[in-house]
Amino acid sequence: MGSNQMIAIWGSPGSGKTVISMKLARILASKQKTVALVLCDLLCPMLPVLFPTIDPKEKSLGILLTKADMNQEAILSNLILPNDREFIGVLGYKKGENSTSYPNYTVEKAADLFLLLRHKVDYVIVDCTSQLSGDDLSTVALRDADQVLRSGTADLKGLSFFDAQLPVLSMNKAFRAERHLKALSGFKSYSPKKEVAEAYGNIDFFLSFAEEIERQWLEGRLLDPLKTSEGKSLVRELKRFALEVFDE
């Protein structure tokens, strides 16, 4: 295992952060590496979207973050283990949960969660929310991650998002925004790929749109393999990412 163990996936709305997180988790798990995937979104909880057939029962990221005695045992008891995915554990919010479901947690509690996860698994992947204000979990992930993959859409909305948000990150050197790896994601044949890439500057990874992935998203099957040429192209690019970042 390389020196990088925890990665935060962050970027503009609709830039495929969750898809990237899920597919990257699958790639690492296929190498028999244990992976903890943390889904930060509380505005739209992702567990019922990604795993519609799984009942998390009393397991929730909210329970864990507001637990007085959070420890590795508590983490294990709140992990969702997708069917036959023994190397992937998922932490997220349940159907119907929102910002009023739990008491506020501290920044220190978020940092403790990631520290405990690092001791328990080979890799930690954090699917951050785009909007960082009010989401301490995503903010701490961006601060503490060994590497950040910044995902952007190939349109003016993506450019506008980063024009607004990057100055906020750059104000705090702890976020090391200049070290982020950058991906152009979800672009189609008619997207202004070249122009937007030039505006973003120094794109490291190109993750094109694949209809097969859209179907998997709609059907809650993102951990399934990809079989089309477009899907395999995205996997190849993420494998290149895994090799560069994790030496895997």
Side-chain angles (χ1 to χ4, degrees):
M1 178 169 56
S3 59
N4 293 331
Q5 185 189 11
M6 175 174 154
I7 179 146
I9 313 295
W10 174 72
S12 58
S15 62
K17 298 180 293 298
T18 303
V19 170
I20 293 170
S21 299
M22 292 278 282
K23 291 304 182 186
L24 184 59
R26 188 182 193 281
I27 289 169
L28 294 171
S30 71
K31 300 176 182 293
Q32 298 190 331
K33 301 295 182 181
T34 53
V35 182
L37 175 60
V38 182
L39 306 170
C40 296
D41 199 341
L42 186 53
L43 182 64
C44 177
M46 283 290 103
L47 286 181
V49 176
L50 301 175
F51 309 107
T53 62
I54 296 178
D55 181 4
K57 302 186 186 304
E58 297 306 312
K59 299 180 179 181
S60 172
L61 181 57
I63 294 173
L64 189 59
L65 286 171
T66 55
K67 199 173 181 62
D69 55 344
M70 183 173 65
N71 51 37
Q72 290 186 347
E73 182 179 349
I75 289 175
L76 289 176
S77 67
N78 281 280
L79 278 172
I80 304 298
L81 303 176
N83 294 338
D84 72 6
R85 303 290 179 183
E86 58 183 304
F87 293 101
I88 299 177
V90 184
L91 289 171
Y93 294 99
K94 298 186 299 181
K95 178 180 179 180
E97 292 186 330
N98 55 56
S99 60
T100 67
S101 299
Y102 300 99
N104 293 331
Y105 61 87
T106 64
V107 169
E108 291 75 20
K109 185 62 72 70
D112 287 345
L113 171 64
F114 293 131
L115 183 62
L116 288 167
L117 283 173
R118 285 175 182 265
H119 286 297
K120 199 65 184 175
V121 299
D122 294 319
Y123 296 111
V124 180
I125 300 173
V126 187
D127 177 21
C128 299
T129 59
S130 295
Q131 180 60 42
L132 298 178
S133 65
D135 181 7
D136 288 339
L137 194 61
S138 291
T139 303
V140 171
L142 284 179
R143 184 195 70 188
D144 294 353
D146 299 305
Q147 185 59 262
V148 174
L149 178 63
R150 186 195 306 167
S151 178
T153 52
D155 53 30
L156 293 175
K157 184 177 180 180
L159 290 173
S160 180
F161 172 83
F162 289 116
D163 284 342
Q165 299 303 318
L166 283 178
V168 178
L169 287 187
S170 299
M171 290 171 61
N172 189 334
K173 293 183 179 180
F175 289 111
R176 300 164 292 169
E178 73 284 352
R179 294 181 60 244
H180 292 180
L181 294 173
K182 289 182 281 187
L184 192 64
S185 181
F187 57 86
K188 301 178 181 178
S189 58
Y190 53 81
S191 299
K193 170 185 169 183
K194 180 180 178 181
E195 293 79 3
V196 174
E198 288 177 352
Y200 280 137
N202 301 318
I203 295 293
D204 300 286
F205 302 96
F206 290 88
L207 307 171
S208 61
F209 171 82
E211 186 176 320
E212 182 183 18
I213 293 177
E214 186 173 58
R215 288 199 301 272
Q216 287 187 351
W217 169 267
L218 293 173
E219 296 169 4
R221 299 187 297 105
L222 277 178
L223 287 179
D224 284 2
L226 292 165
K227 300 177 181 179
T228 65
S229 58
E230 294 85 358
K232 290 179 179 179
S233 174
L234 181 139
V235 170
R236 282 196 299 271
E237 195 72 342
L238 285 179
K239 284 183 176 179
R240 186 169 71 86
F241 172 81
L243 182 62
E244 179 172 326
V245 174
F246 298 125
D247 196 27
E248 291 285 0

